Amino acid sequence: MSIASSNTNMRVPAGFRNLLEGLAREVLREQPTNVVAFAAQHFQKLLEQREAGGIDPVTWGAMLED
């Protein structure tokens, strides 16, 4: 997906859309009062899972987008 911005084409990085959709689902499910803090915790959990040798959500999301 590319977005036209003046004379520059910007591309959304592979897997980014999937990450944002996952965050949006969790926000809608949990209805946190502080969305920014919730998002920080959400992404921290994903980072910890990746570092622990689990699935990298960005790589996995990129495969889903293809």
Side-chain angles (χ1 to χ4, degrees):
M1 173 181 172
S2 62
I3 300 168
S5 174
S6 146
N7 291 333
T8 306
N9 283 334
M10 299 172 63
R11 295 196 59 69
V12 175
F16 187 65
R17 178 182 296 172
N18 188 266
L19 282 176
L20 291 182
E21 287 174 356
L23 174 62
R25 273 192 305 275
E26 292 304 314
V27 167
L28 292 171
R29 187 181 334 221
E30 296 289 330
Q31 297 289 309
T33 55
N34 186 337
V35 175
V36 174
F38 181 84
Q41 290 171 352
H42 175 77
F43 288 122
Q44 182 63 39
K45 287 178 194 173
L46 292 178
L47 180 60
E48 290 169 2
Q49 288 173 354
R50 185 179 72 180
E51 290 175 346
I55 297 172
D56 182 356
V58 174
T59 303
W60 183 75
M63 288 188 296
L64 290 176
E65 291 173 2
D66 287 339

